Amino acid sequence: MKAVSERKPELADRIAQFQFRDTRPKAAAEITDLADASLLLGHSKEGITERVYRRTKAIGKPSE
């Protein structure tokens, strides 16, 4: 790693801790039309998008 060879231990540590995250669920959740979300994600069936990527929660009423 270049940061190690250049003796930058703090940078090397930050690089080692970096993680790639899948943004597909967020994109699928923000598109309201299931057909559009399915098209964007490249799914042949809307059911795949619904089952795997739609993570909507029930909205509850606030307590008094």
Side-chain angles (χ1 to χ4, degrees), residues 16-45:
Q17 291 178 8
F18 182 80
Q19 298 178 3
F20 286 98
R21 300 289 182 172
D22 189 5
T23 58
R24 293 167 60 92
K26 181 168 175 43
E30 289 183 353
I31 298 173
T32 56
D33 185 9
L34 183 60
D36 289 342
S38 189
L39 179 65
L40 174 71
L41 297 173
H43 294 151
S44 57
K45 298 180 181 177

